[in-house]
Amino acid sequence: MSYTKFVAPLVKANSGSIRKLRISPARCRSTVASTKTREEKEQQQMDGCTVVEAAPVELISQTKKTAKAPLSKSHIDFENTQEAYKSKGNIELLRSLLVFKLCTFDILVDKNKELMDLSRKLLGQWMFEKLMKMTFYGQFVAGEDHNSIKPLIRKNEAFGVGSVLDYSVEEDLTQEEAEKKEMDSCVSEAEKESPGMCADHREKKYKAHRQFGDRRGGVISARTYFYADEAKCDIQMETFINCIKASGGASNDGFSAIKMTALGRPQFLLQFSEVLVKWRRFFNFLAAQQGKSQMTVLEQKLELEQLKESLTELGVGAKDDIENWFTGEKLGLSGTIDLLDWNSLINDTTKISNLLMVPNLQTGHLEPLLNIFTEEEERQMKRMLQRVDILAKHAVENGVRLMVDAEQTYFQPAISRLTLEMQRKFNREKPVIFNTYQCYLKEAYDNVTLDVELSRREGWYFGAKLVRGAYMYQERARAKEIGYEDPINPDYEATNRMYHKCLEYVLEEIEHSRKANIMVATHNEDTVKFTLDKMNEMGLSPTENKVYFGQLLGMCDQISFPLGQAGFPVYKYVPYGPVNEVIPYLSRRAQENRGFMKGSQRERSLLWKELKRRLLAGQIIYKPVY
C-alpha cells in the first residue's frame, strides 16, 4: 500500500492510555534547505535519518534581489480582437454571440434542462444533437471522445493554447436519489447502529446532513460525484486513466483533472478531515498555552520542553513515552516544534482506521473517532488510496500533470493531505501533481504558506492551481443551518485580496527557488494583469514555464489566446463526452454564463468588434490559418 505510511495514528490507544509514538524515519527533514551535493548527503546517513547542518534561514520577503539580466517586459493587449479571435472562423464568432446572448435570458437558463428535454422529444435524437453541436455543446464541449477532440486540441495548440482534459459525463440524479446516495455513503455502520453514542465524538460540520445531501445545490461550476459502490469507483478510475492517456497522446505537457470523491466512499474523507482539523486545533490550544496564539501559523514555534510538560500534565501520555516521540528525529532538534513538525506525527500505520484518533481536550487522552470499523470499511479506505496512487503513476508514465480539484470544506482537509502525499512522492524531479486552493476560504493563505514551506524543507516541487471557489452559496447555507463558523470570506473583494495574496506568495517562492509552479485559473482580467505585472517586477519569464494561466473552453478567449500567442503557458479546461451525457455540464455552463454575461458586456462587445472589423476588411469568409 503506497499511502499507508502517511496515514498512521499517533499510537494505538488502549483504554484511554497511549503507548510509544512511532515516527517513520522517512519523515526526517530539516527546516532549511541543504546546500550539500547528493553524494555528501548520502554520506551523512545515520540510523535512517539524515544529519543536516544548521544554517541561517532567510525569509522570502527578506531575500536580497541579485542583479539579473534585463528581461523584456511583457505587455498583453486584451483589446486586440484580431489577435484574440484569429483562431475562430466567422461562424464560430456568431455562435459565441448567440450562446452568450441566450444565457442572459433568465427563463431560458432557469428552465434549460426542461427545454432541452422538450427539444429532444420534438426534434428527435439526431436533430437534437445537431442543434446542440451548433450551439451550446459546440461552444463549451470539445467532442464526444478522445479521438474527436484531437482536431480542436491541435488547433488551440497552434495558437499557443494547451489543454486540461476532463471527461465531463455526469449522472443525472433526482434530488431524492442524490440525498439517499450521500447519506448511505457518508455514514458508517457504527453510526447507523448507535447514532447517539457516535454523535458524542463527531463534529456537526464533518457529519452528513440530509438537507445538504445533494451536493449539487447552489453549485454551477463544478462536477459532482455520488458514491454507488466500489465497482463504480473502479469504472471512474478507468475513465480518469483514459483521460490521462488521451491527454498524453493529444498534446505535449498536458494536464488532466480528477476529483477524489469519484475514487472512493466519502465517509473516509469526512472522517479523516475531522481528524486533521482536530489535531491542528490541538496544536493551536498548545500554542495558546505558550502565549503564541496571535502569531501567524508558521511563526508559532512551541518550546519543546514546555510542550512535553503540557502533554504530560494533560495526561496525553507518560513522560517517558512523550520523550520517545521525538527521539532520533530532527523533530525538536532546534528545541521547538512548529505546525509542520506536528502534522508529521500522523504517519506510519498498517491499519488505516487507526489513523482516526483524535485528542480529547477534556480528558487529554487519544480517542477513536468511531469505536468500530467493519472489515469492508477498512478495505474501502485502502482502495481509495490505491486508486489515487494508480492515477499518479499513469500521469508520470504518460508525461501528463495531474490536477486534483478542490471540493467542499468538510472533505477538503483530507483531499489536500492525500494530494500532499502524492506530491511528496511524485514531485521529486518535476511538478506532476497539482493541488487546488480555493481563495474564497478564510484559511486559504495559511494553507498555501504551510504547503510551500513543507515543499521547501523536503525539496520537492510545489504545484498549485489557484481558484476563487465553486461552493460559496452551499457552504454559507450549510454553516448557517447546521451551526458552525462560515468558512467563506465576507465578500468578493476580500476573496480578490486573498487570491492576490496567495498568488504573490507563490510568485515570490518561484523567484526565490524556481521549484514552485502555479496555475492562475481565472476569468478575471484584472487578476491576469496583476500576475503579468508581478512577473515583470520579479523578472519571471513566460518561457520558464513556472506560471500557467487557465480558462474554460468557450469562455474568455480574449484572455487565453493573446496570452498564448505572446508565449505564456495558457490552458483551456477541455470537457468532452457524448451529447446526452454532458447535459448536466452544459446546464451549469448556461447558469454560470448568465451571471458572467449580465455582469459584463465586455466579451460580447469584443466579439461584435471583431466581426465588424472583418466585414469592413472584406473578410466575409474567414478561415484560421495554422
Side-chain angles (χ1 to χ4, degrees):
M1 252 298 299
S2 302
Y3 284 96
T4 54
K5 292 226 169 177
F6 92 92
V7 288
L10 289 175
V11 29
K12 293 181 179 178
N14 184 17
S15 303
S17 63
I18 61 175
R19 300 174 187 169
K20 177 181 175 182
L21 261 175
R22 295 177 61 231
I23 304 175
S24 169
R27 287 293 169 262
C28 297
R29 62 171 181 263
S30 166
T31 58
V32 295
S34 172
T35 57
K36 288 187 174 292
T37 65
R38 181 178 295 178
E39 289 73 24
E40 288 174 308
K41 290 177 183 176
E42 288 173 352
Q43 290 172 7
Q44 287 191 323
Q45 295 291 327
M46 292 178 59
D47 299 324
C49 195
T50 308
V51 176
V52 179
E53 293 182 343
V57 178
E58 187 177 44
L59 298 176
I60 292 177
S61 58
Q62 297 171 345
T63 303
K64 294 179 181 178
K65 300 248 173 83
T66 56
K68 296 177 183 174
L71 290 171
S72 58
K73 293 196 173 183
S74 302
H75 173 72
I76 310 296
D77 182 5
F78 296 114
E79 299 286 338
N80 188 336
T81 59
Q82 187 172 358
E83 288 298 309
Y85 299 116
K86 68 191 299 184
S87 67
K88 309 290 182 186
N90 290 349
I91 298 298
E92 291 174 282
L93 297 186
L94 287 169
R95 181 187 66 197
S96 297
L97 281 166
L98 172 64
V99 169
F100 292 154
K101 182 62 178 178
L102 291 174
C103 288
T104 64
F105 294 108
D106 288 337
I107 190 168
L108 295 180
V109 175
D110 292 335
K111 301 292 183 182
N112 71 83
K113 291 184 74 176
E114 292 88 341
L115 289 169
M116 282 190 275
D117 289 340
L118 179 62
S119 299
R120 189 188 292 110
K121 289 177 183 176
L122 293 175
L123 299 174
Q125 185 62 34
W126 184 85
M127 185 61 75
F128 171 74
E129 290 191 9
K130 201 76 175 171
L131 177 65
M132 292 301 293
K133 287 179 179 180
M134 291 170 61
T135 54
F136 287 90
Y137 183 94
Q139 181 71 19
F140 300 119
V141 182
E144 300 208 26
D145 54 43
H146 63 269
N147 285 319
S148 63
I149 66 177
K150 286 181 180 179
L152 176 67
I153 290 173
R154 286 172 183 151
K155 182 175 85 165
N156 284 352
E157 277 193 336
F159 291 95
V161 176
S163 299
V164 181
L165 295 193
D166 180 47
Y167 190 66
S168 294
V169 170
E170 301 178 32
E171 280 187 290
D172 197 4
L173 301 174
T174 66
Q175 181 177 337
E176 185 178 350
E177 289 171 334
E179 288 175 355
K180 185 178 186 307
K181 284 195 171 189
E182 187 74 353
M183 296 306 294
D184 288 345
S185 62
C186 286
V187 180
S188 70
E189 291 302 317
E191 288 174 301
K192 290 174 184 175
E193 292 174 6
S194 307
M197 185 180 300
C198 293
D200 294 340
H201 297 286
R202 301 295 307 279
E203 290 195 15
K204 290 182 287 187
K205 179 176 180 178
Y206 299 100
K207 291 172 64 179
H209 297 268
R210 184 169 292 277
Q211 65 267 45
F212 295 99
D214 186 353
R215 288 182 275 113
R216 300 168 301 182
V219 178
I220 61 172
S221 58
R223 187 168 70 262
T224 304
Y225 288 94
F226 292 95
Y227 180 84
D229 51 40
E230 292 299 293
K232 183 67 178 292
C233 291
D234 286 335
I235 291 171
Q236 287 166 172
M237 179 187 71
E238 288 299 325
T239 299
F240 287 143
I241 290 173
N242 291 334
C243 195
I244 290 168
K245 290 179 177 177
S247 183
S251 63
N252 298 320
D253 296 324
F255 283 92
S256 192
I258 66 169
K259 272 185 178 284
M260 288 288 186
T261 49
L263 299 174
R265 187 168 177 166
Q267 170 198 339
F268 171 56
L269 296 176
L270 274 176
Q271 292 164 347
F272 189 31
S273 290
E274 183 172 356
V275 169
L276 292 169
V277 168
K278 284 186 172 178
W279 275 109
R280 183 162 175 172
R281 196 176 296 156
F282 189 36
F283 178 86
N284 293 338
F285 169 79
L286 295 168
Q289 284 192 332
Q290 296 193 17
K292 299 179 179 180
S293 59
Q294 300 304 312
M295 295 180 177
T296 64
V297 65
L298 282 174
E299 289 175 341
Q300 290 179 330
K301 298 183 184 295
L302 307 189
E303 299 299 326
L304 184 58
E305 293 306 316
Q306 192 175 339
L307 173 62
K308 291 176 182 178
E309 291 175 11
S310 295
L311 293 173
T312 304
E313 289 171 7
L314 285 167
V316 172
K319 190 170 184 179
D320 289 343
D321 287 335
I322 293 170
E323 193 75 37
N324 286 331
W325 290 3
F326 309 104
T327 301
E329 295 292 329
K330 287 196 214 48
L331 287 170
L333 287 183
S334 65
T336 61
I337 295 288
D338 66 11
L339 183 57
L340 290 174
D341 299 322
W342 181 259
N343 286 343
S344 73
L345 299 178
I346 303 179
N347 67 56
D348 198 35
T349 190
T350 55
K351 191 172 174 63
I352 292 181
S353 59
N354 283 345
L355 87 94
L356 300 177
M357 304 290 293
V358 294
N360 184 321
L361 293 183
Q362 279 71 46
T363 65
H365 295 156
L366 291 177
E367 298 176 348
L369 195 66
L370 295 172
N371 293 326
I372 302 170
F373 277 88
T374 67
E375 289 186 9
E376 178 56 25
E377 286 173 334
E378 185 79 29
R379 285 194 292 269
Q380 288 168 355
M381 293 178 194
K382 287 186 177 181
R383 287 191 203 114
M384 174 183 270
L385 303 180
Q386 288 169 337
R387 292 181 188 112
V388 170
D389 193 59
I390 288 169
L391 290 175
K393 287 175 179 175
H394 275 282
V396 172
E397 289 169 7
N398 287 275
V400 173
R401 289 160 293 184
L402 203 60
M403 279 186 179
V404 181
D405 285 344
E407 304 193 44
Q408 286 88 349
T409 54
Y410 43 91
F411 293 139
Q412 194 56 42
I415 291 170
S416 290
R417 182 62 185 260
L418 290 170
T419 306
L420 191 71
E421 294 304 319
M422 284 200 292
Q423 290 178 316
R424 280 173 147 164
K425 181 175 180 180
F426 295 101
N427 285 14
R428 287 290 168 184
E429 297 180 359
K430 61 181 180 179
V432 175
I433 309 299
F434 282 65
N435 198 5
T436 300
Y437 297 87
Q438 301 180 103
C439 293
Y440 66 8
L441 297 179
K442 296 173 183 175
E443 63 178 21
Y445 183 74
D446 284 349
N447 293 337
V448 169
T449 55
L450 278 169
D451 291 352
V452 167
E453 173 63 18
L454 183 62
S455 72
R456 192 185 304 144
R457 292 184 188 187
E458 297 184 341
W460 44 268
Y461 286 80
F462 177 79
K465 178 175 77 168
L466 224 55
V467 300
R468 280 173 171 78
Y471 307 98
M472 182 179 73
Y473 298 112
Q474 185 187 105
E475 293 276 12
R476 283 199 194 285
R478 191 177 190 270
K480 182 178 180 181
E481 178 69 22
I482 296 171
Y484 57 86
E485 183 184 353
D486 184 353
I488 308 295
N489 287 319
D491 52 43
Y492 185 72
E493 286 309 311
T495 294
N496 278 345
R497 290 192 296 273
M498 180 66 78
Y499 194 107
H500 290 180
K501 185 179 181 182
C502 294
L503 174 57
E504 189 167 9
Y505 185 86
V506 179
L507 291 174
E508 287 180 354
E509 176 66 13
I510 295 171
E511 180 188 28
H512 180 72
S513 71
R514 292 307 200 266
K515 292 195 78 171
N517 299 261
I518 190 165
M519 166 76 79
V520 184
T522 181
H523 293 158
N524 188 307
E525 194 173 302
D526 290 336
T527 294
V528 174
K529 289 177 178 176
F530 174 87
T531 309
L532 297 177
D533 288 343
K534 290 297 175 185
M535 290 179 70
N536 283 333
E537 287 175 20
M538 296 175 181
L540 300 179
S541 168
T543 58
E544 293 184 67
N545 287 332
K546 298 295 181 183
V547 183
Y548 319 96
F549 296 88
Q551 290 84 39
L552 292 170
L553 182 71
M555 296 175 66
C556 292
D557 288 345
Q558 79 277 9
I559 293 177
S560 308
F561 285 91
L563 283 170
Q565 288 161 60
F568 286 86
V570 59
Y571 293 82
K572 284 292 192 182
Y573 200 93
V574 178
Y576 67 100
V579 175
N580 281 335
E581 296 180 52
V582 298
I583 293 297
Y585 175 83
L586 292 173
S587 176
R588 290 202 313 275
R589 290 288 74 76
Q591 294 177 60
E592 184 172 15
N593 274 286
R594 168 170 57 184
F596 186 72
M597 287 300 156
K598 282 189 172 182
S600 171
Q601 298 288 328
R602 177 168 169 71
E603 188 157 2
R604 281 164 55 203
S605 67
L606 290 173
L607 287 163
W608 274 120
K609 179 181 174 183
E610 177 58 14
L611 266 177
K612 291 173 185 175
R613 187 199 66 77
R614 290 181 185 180
L615 291 174
L616 291 172
Q619 296 175 315
I620 297 173
I621 298 175
Y622 175 85
K623 186 176 180 180
V625 178
Y626 60 96

